[in-house]
Amino acid sequence: LNCSAFNSLRFLIKGGLAGAAVYVAYDQGLLGSGKQGADALRKAQETLPPAVHEWTNYLGLEVRAAQLPRVPKFNFSLSASWNKGVHTVMSALSVAPTKACEYTTEGWKYVKDLVK
């Protein structure tokens, strides 16, 4: 094989592996909603330790089965945070003309006092 054929073959193999990885992720529900991802994680937590134990026994290794970390619990509402941010920005924009007038008046008073 010449160099360009080898590079083409390498590219096809890498593309095939990447495509297979995307397909497996989609098939397992990892690219879906959060609920589907949580279900896939729960399924992996149930499946991986026995599979690792089986392979270590097959290979004659004594390795403790890997345990996946627990799914973190967040008490965070994205919609509430978004709404609070929108309210804060709109409140600031609604008082901006009044504040601009106040600051302009104070600035003119300051300049007049400097000129005296």
Side-chain angles (χ1 to χ4, degrees), residues 34-99:
K35 184 180 181 323
Q36 289 175 331
D39 291 341
L41 179 61
R42 191 173 309 107
K43 184 178 173 183
Q45 285 175 329
E46 295 169 357
T47 307
L48 270 178
V52 169
H53 182 69
E54 180 181 334
W55 274 98
T56 55
N57 287 342
Y58 177 74
L59 296 174
L61 301 172
E62 284 193 37
V63 179
R64 293 182 184 173
Q67 293 184 359
L68 294 174
R70 292 184 180 186
V71 178
K73 304 280 184 193
F74 293 109
N75 192 10
F76 176 76
S77 172
L78 184 62
S79 63
S81 298
W82 175 263
N83 290 340
K84 183 178 178 183
V86 169
H87 285 293
T88 303
V89 169
M90 290 301 145
S91 174
L93 289 175
S94 69
V95 297
T98 306
K99 289 293 184 181

Side-chain angles (χ1 to χ4, degrees), residues 11-27 31:
F11 176 75
L12 289 174
I13 290 172
K14 285 182 180 182
L17 290 174
V22 170
Y23 173 76
V24 168
Y26 176 77
D27 187 50
L31 300 178

